[in-house]
Amino acid sequence: MGRESAAFTAEFRSLVEALDPAAGWFAAFGRRVPGDMDLWSAGRELPPWDVVADLLQDLAARYGAAEAERRGRRIRSRYELARRARDSRPDAREDLTRRLGREDQAEIDAHRHGRELAAAERAARLAGRPEEAERLTALRMWAADDEERARGRRAELRRRLNALPAPTEPAVPPQPGPPPAEGTGPADVSPATIVPTGKPARRPRGARFAGIEEDPAPTAPATAPAASRDATESRRPAGSRFAGAEGGAASPTTPTRRVVFTEEDRRIAGEIAGRLARLRARGLSADLYMTLCGAVAGPPQHLPLLVESMEREGLGPEIATLLWEAATLPPGPVVAIAEALADRGRESECRQLLRQAAARPVADTGAIAGALLAAGRSEEAVTLLASLVRARRAEEAVGAALDNPDLLAPVLLDAALSVSPRHHNAVAGELRRAGAA
């Protein structure tokens, strides 16, 4: 193991040791991909950044956003150094091409599995079998998370491959991913989830924003073929933000409003993205971070355009950091950015932003939810509060509704029901005890 990889592995182990193995994304990864967790902790493989980001989200939920931000900057810097060291090895192209093929197949499998589950779910609802439909909904959400993560990882692997020196013989070209299926696949996403992704977006996507508590989660690896997945699970995995699961399985997508940008807006976004790419190439992490913070302080309606420019530069991890910083703004700007992302059709980044905002103190989360409702963004409010329900105990989650229970308590109950009936009952009981129901 090289020096850079050893430094990252030590930081990764330190992060893992600070977390509760029975809660959050750490619990999800431990149940779903235990072998991969062992490889990452031993330094034999570099984990995908979305995994690191979700574990940082766990850290934010346990120790606060400031500690997660401090640790996140350090571990990301070491991650980048380790990644560059691995990509400079003689076998880097072969390794990246092999991993890209694996993620291609994982996305295809997850997409197919999601379509099969969606059809079975509809049949169960039509046949009047709600419990079976709920189980299938949970499995479909995990499949959507798998697909979203695989898609993001493919984009990152392609970027790394394109950055390598040209080979003497062309590498085997990657197979294209599957076409989107109606109503089953999540929106295309950036390679990273969040830095407390800061879900969790999803997470994945993934969907996170994590917070798996007591419900059993699927035990098959996230990249396993569809045929190997356990179809006998009977309860929805609480905390399946694992990208894209937050706002409830069957909620409709908010219609997008056309956002018109000027050529000057596009030029400025392109210049910022280019500056970020140059700073990353030179290893100037502190300057890069300050540039991101400055960009977050700009007009909220311009942030989606910056995200698109950063995507073109291959700045997936930096998009995750951008969204994390945006999620720490006061409630008004957070809502404005969420609206801008949704109106631009960037639903995945909007979900990431809201899942990250759920790691804030519960009073802040309630204020953001109230502002979303005032702006007519009920679906986004449910996404935010569902992330909160997954990440916190019921007695903590109800704190988000106590400042305005008439407005927020019904939405919090809807959000809890979108997670599972068990969560709904727990939240309802705590609201009654608090006199807010």
Short mmCIF file of all heavy atoms in Angstrom, two decimals, residues 25 140-142 144-146 148-149 184-187 189 193 199-209 236 240-249 251 347-348 351-352 355 383 390:
data_model
loop_
_atom_site.label_atom_id
_atom_site.label_comp_id
_atom_site.label_asym_id
_atom_site.label_seq_id
_atom_site.Cartn_x
_atom_site.Cartn_y
_atom_site.Cartn_z
N TRP A 25 -26.09 4.94 7.75
CA TRP A 25 -25.54 4.30 6.57
C TRP A 25 -24.51 3.24 6.92
O TRP A 25 -24.33 2.28 6.18
CB TRP A 25 -24.94 5.35 5.64
CG TRP A 25 -26.00 6.12 4.97
CD1 TRP A 25 -26.33 7.42 5.17
CD2 TRP A 25 -26.93 5.61 4.03
NE1 TRP A 25 -27.42 7.75 4.40
CE2 TRP A 25 -27.80 6.66 3.69
CE3 TRP A 25 -27.12 4.37 3.43
CZ2 TRP A 25 -28.84 6.50 2.78
CZ3 TRP A 25 -28.15 4.21 2.53
CH2 TRP A 25 -28.99 5.26 2.21
N ARG A 140 -38.23 -1.92 -4.29
CA ARG A 140 -38.05 -1.10 -5.49
C ARG A 140 -37.19 0.12 -5.18
O ARG A 140 -36.37 0.55 -6.00
CB ARG A 140 -39.40 -0.67 -6.04
CG ARG A 140 -39.29 0.23 -7.26
CD ARG A 140 -40.63 0.45 -7.92
NE ARG A 140 -41.59 1.13 -7.07
CZ ARG A 140 -41.62 2.46 -6.90
NH1 ARG A 140 -40.72 3.23 -7.48
NH2 ARG A 140 -42.54 3.00 -6.14
N MET A 141 -37.37 0.69 -4.00
CA MET A 141 -36.57 1.86 -3.64
C MET A 141 -35.09 1.50 -3.47
O MET A 141 -34.21 2.26 -3.85
CB MET A 141 -37.15 2.48 -2.36
CG MET A 141 -38.53 3.09 -2.59
SD MET A 141 -39.40 3.50 -1.07
CE MET A 141 -38.52 4.98 -0.59
N TRP A 142 -34.84 0.33 -2.91
CA TRP A 142 -33.44 -0.12 -2.84
C TRP A 142 -32.88 -0.33 -4.23
O TRP A 142 -31.72 0.00 -4.51
CB TRP A 142 -33.36 -1.42 -2.04
CG TRP A 142 -33.35 -1.23 -0.54
CD1 TRP A 142 -34.34 -1.56 0.33
CD2 TRP A 142 -32.31 -0.66 0.24
NE1 TRP A 142 -33.98 -1.24 1.61
CE2 TRP A 142 -32.73 -0.68 1.58
CE3 TRP A 142 -31.05 -0.13 -0.06
CZ2 TRP A 142 -31.95 -0.19 2.62
CZ3 TRP A 142 -30.26 0.36 0.98
CH2 TRP A 142 -30.71 0.32 2.30
N ALA A 144 -33.78 1.23 -6.95
CA ALA A 144 -33.54 2.56 -7.51
C ALA A 144 -32.26 3.16 -6.95
O ALA A 144 -31.50 3.82 -7.66
CB ALA A 144 -34.73 3.47 -7.21
N ASP A 145 -32.01 2.93 -5.67
CA ASP A 145 -30.77 3.42 -5.07
C ASP A 145 -29.55 2.74 -5.69
O ASP A 145 -28.55 3.39 -6.01
CB ASP A 145 -30.80 3.16 -3.56
CG ASP A 145 -29.56 3.67 -2.87
OD1 ASP A 145 -29.41 4.89 -2.78
OD2 ASP A 145 -28.75 2.84 -2.46
N ASP A 146 -29.64 1.44 -5.88
CA ASP A 146 -28.55 0.71 -6.53
C ASP A 146 -28.27 1.27 -7.92
O ASP A 146 -27.12 1.46 -8.31
CB ASP A 146 -28.90 -0.78 -6.64
CG ASP A 146 -28.93 -1.49 -5.30
OD1 ASP A 146 -28.40 -0.93 -4.32
OD2 ASP A 146 -29.49 -2.60 -5.23
N GLU A 148 -29.00 4.28 -9.11
CA GLU A 148 -28.48 5.64 -9.06
C GLU A 148 -27.01 5.64 -8.66
O GLU A 148 -26.19 6.37 -9.23
CB GLU A 148 -29.30 6.47 -8.08
CG GLU A 148 -28.93 7.94 -8.09
CD GLU A 148 -29.88 8.78 -7.26
OE1 GLU A 148 -30.93 8.26 -6.83
OE2 GLU A 148 -29.57 9.95 -7.04
N ARG A 149 -26.66 4.83 -7.69
CA ARG A 149 -25.26 4.78 -7.29
C ARG A 149 -24.39 4.24 -8.42
O ARG A 149 -23.30 4.74 -8.67
CB ARG A 149 -25.10 3.92 -6.05
CG ARG A 149 -25.57 4.61 -4.78
CD ARG A 149 -25.28 3.78 -3.56
NE ARG A 149 -25.82 4.41 -2.39
CZ ARG A 149 -25.14 5.17 -1.54
NH1 ARG A 149 -23.87 5.40 -1.76
NH2 ARG A 149 -25.72 5.71 -0.49
N THR A 184 -39.86 4.48 -12.95
CA THR A 184 -39.15 3.57 -12.07
C THR A 184 -37.72 3.99 -11.81
O THR A 184 -37.19 3.69 -10.75
CB THR A 184 -39.10 2.15 -12.68
OG1 THR A 184 -38.44 2.20 -13.93
CG2 THR A 184 -40.50 1.60 -12.88
N GLY A 185 -37.05 4.65 -12.73
CA GLY A 185 -35.65 4.99 -12.55
C GLY A 185 -35.50 6.39 -12.02
O GLY A 185 -36.24 7.30 -12.36
N PRO A 186 -34.51 6.65 -11.16
CA PRO A 186 -34.27 7.99 -10.67
C PRO A 186 -33.62 8.84 -11.73
O PRO A 186 -33.10 8.35 -12.72
CB PRO A 186 -33.32 7.76 -9.48
CG PRO A 186 -32.60 6.51 -9.84
CD PRO A 186 -33.59 5.67 -10.61
N ALA A 187 -33.59 10.14 -11.51
CA ALA A 187 -32.93 11.04 -12.44
C ALA A 187 -31.44 10.80 -12.43
O ALA A 187 -30.87 10.29 -11.47
CB ALA A 187 -33.22 12.50 -12.03
N VAL A 189 -27.55 11.38 -12.02
CA VAL A 189 -26.96 12.04 -10.87
C VAL A 189 -25.48 12.21 -11.06
O VAL A 189 -24.86 11.63 -11.92
CB VAL A 189 -27.19 11.22 -9.57
CG1 VAL A 189 -28.65 11.14 -9.27
CG2 VAL A 189 -26.59 9.83 -9.71
N THR A 193 -22.44 11.39 -3.67
CA THR A 193 -23.59 11.70 -2.86
C THR A 193 -23.19 12.96 -2.11
O THR A 193 -22.82 13.90 -2.70
CB THR A 193 -23.90 10.56 -1.91
OG1 THR A 193 -23.70 9.36 -2.62
CG2 THR A 193 -25.34 10.61 -1.48
N LYS A 199 -27.98 10.28 -0.38
CA LYS A 199 -27.81 10.49 -0.08
C LYS A 199 -27.59 9.40 0.00
O LYS A 199 -28.60 8.98 -1.46
CB LYS A 199 -28.01 9.90 -0.47
CG LYS A 199 -28.34 10.46 -0.59
CD LYS A 199 -29.20 9.75 0.47
CE LYS A 199 -29.06 9.08 -0.96
NZ LYS A 199 -29.33 9.45 -0.17
N PRO A 200 -27.24 8.52 1.88
CA PRO A 200 -27.47 8.85 1.92
C PRO A 200 -27.38 9.06 1.34
O PRO A 200 -27.54 9.04 0.87
CB PRO A 200 -27.95 7.76 1.67
CG PRO A 200 -29.01 6.20 0.99
CD PRO A 200 -28.57 7.04 1.35
N ALA A 201 -29.15 8.99 -1.85
CA ALA A 201 -28.93 9.90 -2.87
C ALA A 201 -28.14 9.26 -2.92
O ALA A 201 -27.81 8.18 -2.94
CB ALA A 201 -29.25 9.33 -3.15
N ARG A 202 -28.48 8.70 -2.85
CA ARG A 202 -28.91 8.87 -3.00
C ARG A 202 -28.04 8.50 -2.61
O ARG A 202 -28.96 7.38 -4.09
CB ARG A 202 -29.04 7.95 -3.67
CG ARG A 202 -29.62 7.56 -3.77
CD ARG A 202 -30.06 7.59 -3.98
NE ARG A 202 -30.05 6.56 -4.50
CZ ARG A 202 -30.28 6.24 -4.29
NH1 ARG A 202 -30.06 6.39 -4.26
NH2 ARG A 202 -30.81 5.20 -5.08
N ARG A 203 -26.74 8.53 -2.58
CA ARG A 203 -27.56 8.39 -2.50
C ARG A 203 -27.99 8.86 -2.60
O ARG A 203 -27.96 7.02 -2.81
CB ARG A 203 -27.91 7.60 -3.19
CG ARG A 203 -27.67 7.33 -2.71
CD ARG A 203 -28.06 6.99 -2.92
NE ARG A 203 -28.51 6.85 -3.70
CZ ARG A 203 -27.66 6.89 -3.69
NH1 ARG A 203 -28.53 6.41 -4.03
NH2 ARG A 203 -29.31 6.31 -3.68
N PRO A 204 -27.67 8.44 -2.92
CA PRO A 204 -27.88 7.66 -3.82
C PRO A 204 -27.93 8.07 -3.32
O PRO A 204 -28.06 7.03 -3.25
CB PRO A 204 -27.90 7.58 -4.19
CG PRO A 204 -28.83 6.87 -4.58
CD PRO A 204 -28.59 7.18 -4.09
N ARG A 205 -28.68 7.65 -2.90
CA ARG A 205 -28.50 7.71 -4.02
C ARG A 205 -28.36 7.95 -3.26
O ARG A 205 -28.91 7.02 -4.13
CB ARG A 205 -29.07 7.39 -4.57
CG ARG A 205 -29.91 7.99 -4.17
CD ARG A 205 -30.38 7.45 -4.94
NE ARG A 205 -31.20 7.25 -4.59
CZ ARG A 205 -31.05 7.08 -4.96
NH1 ARG A 205 -31.14 6.74 -4.67
NH2 ARG A 205 -31.22 6.68 -4.37
N GLY A 206 -27.78 8.72 -4.05
CA GLY A 206 -28.41 8.05 -3.39
C GLY A 206 -28.04 8.38 -3.44
O GLY A 206 -28.43 7.75 -2.71
N ALA A 207 -30.22 9.06 -2.81
CA ALA A 207 -30.59 9.05 -2.41
C ALA A 207 -29.65 9.03 -1.51
O ALA A 207 -30.04 8.78 -2.29
CB ALA A 207 -31.54 8.05 -3.04
N ARG A 208 -28.57 9.60 0.31
CA ARG A 208 -28.40 9.33 1.68
C ARG A 208 -28.53 8.47 1.44
O ARG A 208 -28.44 8.83 2.63
CB ARG A 208 -27.65 9.88 0.12
CG ARG A 208 -27.21 10.80 1.35
CD ARG A 208 -28.21 10.13 1.24
NE ARG A 208 -28.06 10.63 1.10
CZ ARG A 208 -28.40 10.58 1.13
NH1 ARG A 208 -28.02 9.06 -0.14
NH2 ARG A 208 -27.81 9.52 0.04
N PHE A 209 -28.20 11.26 3.63
CA PHE A 209 -29.37 11.18 4.46
C PHE A 209 -29.57 9.71 4.68
O PHE A 209 -30.06 9.03 3.84
CB PHE A 209 -30.55 11.74 3.76
CG PHE A 209 -30.16 13.07 3.32
CD1 PHE A 209 -28.89 13.26 2.86
CD2 PHE A 209 -31.00 14.13 3.42
CE1 PHE A 209 -28.49 14.51 2.50
CE2 PHE A 209 -30.61 15.37 3.04
CZ PHE A 209 -29.36 15.57 2.59
N ARG A 236 -40.15 -2.78 4.93
CA ARG A 236 -39.41 -1.75 4.23
C ARG A 236 -38.18 -1.34 5.02
O ARG A 236 -38.26 -1.16 6.23
CB ARG A 236 -40.31 -0.53 4.06
CG ARG A 236 -39.62 0.68 3.45
CD ARG A 236 -40.66 1.75 3.30
NE ARG A 236 -40.07 2.91 2.68
CZ ARG A 236 -40.79 3.91 2.22
NH1 ARG A 236 -42.08 3.89 2.31
NH2 ARG A 236 -40.20 4.95 1.68
N SER A 240 -33.75 3.98 3.89
CA SER A 240 -33.27 3.60 2.58
C SER A 240 -33.07 4.80 1.70
O SER A 240 -33.33 4.75 0.52
CB SER A 240 -34.26 2.63 1.91
OG SER A 240 -35.50 3.25 1.73
N ARG A 241 -32.63 5.88 2.26
CA ARG A 241 -32.30 7.02 1.43
C ARG A 241 -31.30 6.55 0.40
O ARG A 241 -31.24 7.05 -0.68
CB ARG A 241 -31.68 8.13 2.27
CG ARG A 241 -30.84 9.12 1.43
CD ARG A 241 -29.52 8.59 1.14
NE ARG A 241 -28.72 9.56 0.44
CZ ARG A 241 -27.80 9.23 -0.42
NH1 ARG A 241 -27.57 8.01 -0.67
NH2 ARG A 241 -27.10 10.13 -1.00
N PHE A 242 -30.58 5.57 0.78
CA PHE A 242 -29.56 5.09 -0.12
C PHE A 242 -29.99 5.57 -1.50
O PHE A 242 -30.33 4.82 -2.36
CB PHE A 242 -29.50 3.57 -0.06
CG PHE A 242 -28.12 3.05 -0.25
CD1 PHE A 242 -27.59 2.15 0.64
CD2 PHE A 242 -27.37 3.46 -1.31
CE1 PHE A 242 -26.33 1.65 0.44
CE2 PHE A 242 -26.12 2.96 -1.51
CZ PHE A 242 -25.60 2.07 -0.62
N ALA A 243 -30.03 6.82 -1.66
CA ALA A 243 -30.30 7.55 -2.88
C ALA A 243 -31.66 7.36 -3.44
O ALA A 243 -32.03 6.34 -3.96
CB ALA A 243 -29.29 7.23 -3.95
N GLY A 244 -32.43 8.44 -3.37
CA GLY A 244 -33.66 8.55 -4.10
C GLY A 244 -34.86 7.99 -3.42
O GLY A 244 -35.93 8.00 -3.98
N ALA A 245 -34.76 7.47 -2.20
CA ALA A 245 -35.91 6.82 -1.60
C ALA A 245 -36.72 7.76 -0.76
O ALA A 245 -37.74 7.38 -0.26
CB ALA A 245 -35.44 5.64 -0.75
N GLU A 246 -36.24 8.98 -0.55
CA GLU A 246 -36.84 9.79 0.46
C GLU A 246 -38.27 10.19 0.24
O GLU A 246 -39.07 10.08 0.95
CB GLU A 246 -36.03 11.07 0.66
CG GLU A 246 -35.19 11.04 1.89
CD GLU A 246 -34.12 10.05 1.86
OE1 GLU A 246 -33.74 9.59 0.80
OE2 GLU A 246 -33.62 9.71 2.91
N GLY A 247 -38.75 10.76 -0.64
CA GLY A 247 -40.07 11.39 -0.57
C GLY A 247 -41.23 10.49 -0.69
O GLY A 247 -42.30 10.94 -0.98
N GLY A 248 -41.11 9.19 -0.49
CA GLY A 248 -42.23 8.29 -0.64
C GLY A 248 -42.18 7.66 -2.01
O GLY A 248 -41.73 8.24 -2.98
N ALA A 249 -42.64 6.43 -2.11
CA ALA A 249 -42.44 5.68 -3.35
C ALA A 249 -43.28 6.16 -4.49
O ALA A 249 -42.88 6.13 -5.63
CB ALA A 249 -42.73 4.21 -3.08
N SER A 251 -44.95 9.23 -4.84
CA SER A 251 -45.26 10.64 -4.97
C SER A 251 -44.90 11.13 -6.35
O SER A 251 -43.87 10.80 -6.89
CB SER A 251 -44.50 11.44 -3.91
OG SER A 251 -43.13 11.21 -4.04
N GLU A 347 -33.70 17.00 -10.03
CA GLU A 347 -34.35 16.40 -8.86
C GLU A 347 -33.37 15.67 -7.97
O GLU A 347 -33.50 15.67 -6.74
CB GLU A 347 -35.47 15.45 -9.30
CG GLU A 347 -36.68 16.13 -9.89
CD GLU A 347 -36.54 16.39 -11.38
OE1 GLU A 347 -35.47 16.04 -11.93
OE2 GLU A 347 -37.48 16.93 -11.98
N SER A 348 -32.38 15.01 -8.56
CA SER A 348 -31.43 14.26 -7.75
C SER A 348 -30.64 15.18 -6.83
O SER A 348 -30.49 14.91 -5.63
CB SER A 348 -30.47 13.49 -8.66
OG SER A 348 -29.49 12.82 -7.90
N ARG A 351 -32.85 16.43 -4.05
CA ARG A 351 -32.99 15.45 -2.97
C ARG A 351 -31.73 15.41 -2.10
O ARG A 351 -31.81 15.31 -0.87
CB ARG A 351 -33.26 14.06 -3.56
CG ARG A 351 -34.63 13.88 -4.16
CD ARG A 351 -34.95 12.40 -4.36
NE ARG A 351 -33.97 11.74 -5.21
CZ ARG A 351 -34.09 11.62 -6.52
NH1 ARG A 351 -35.14 12.13 -7.14
NH2 ARG A 351 -33.17 10.98 -7.23
N GLN A 352 -30.56 15.48 -2.74
CA GLN A 352 -29.32 15.47 -1.98
C GLN A 352 -29.27 16.67 -1.03
O GLN A 352 -28.92 16.54 0.15
CB GLN A 352 -28.11 15.52 -2.91
CG GLN A 352 -27.84 14.23 -3.65
CD GLN A 352 -26.56 14.29 -4.45
OE1 GLN A 352 -25.67 15.08 -4.17
NE2 GLN A 352 -26.47 13.47 -5.47
N ARG A 355 -31.70 16.07 1.84
CA ARG A 355 -31.24 15.03 2.75
C ARG A 355 -30.11 15.56 3.63
O ARG A 355 -30.02 15.22 4.81
CB ARG A 355 -30.78 13.81 1.95
CG ARG A 355 -31.93 13.06 1.30
CD ARG A 355 -31.48 11.69 0.82
NE ARG A 355 -30.44 11.76 -0.17
CZ ARG A 355 -30.63 11.70 -1.49
NH1 ARG A 355 -31.87 11.60 -1.96
NH2 ARG A 355 -29.63 11.74 -2.32
N THR A 383 -39.92 15.04 1.47
CA THR A 383 -38.59 14.46 1.28
C THR A 383 -37.67 14.83 2.43
O THR A 383 -36.96 13.99 2.98
CB THR A 383 -37.98 14.97 -0.05
OG1 THR A 383 -38.76 14.49 -1.13
CG2 THR A 383 -36.55 14.48 -0.22
N ARG A 390 -35.84 9.12 9.19
CA ARG A 390 -34.91 8.00 9.07
C ARG A 390 -33.68 8.19 9.95
O ARG A 390 -33.11 7.24 10.45
CB ARG A 390 -34.49 7.84 7.61
CG ARG A 390 -35.58 7.32 6.70
CD ARG A 390 -35.02 7.07 5.31
NE ARG A 390 -36.02 6.50 4.44
CZ ARG A 390 -36.83 7.23 3.68
NH1 ARG A 390 -36.72 8.53 3.68
NH2 ARG A 390 -37.74 6.64 2.93
#
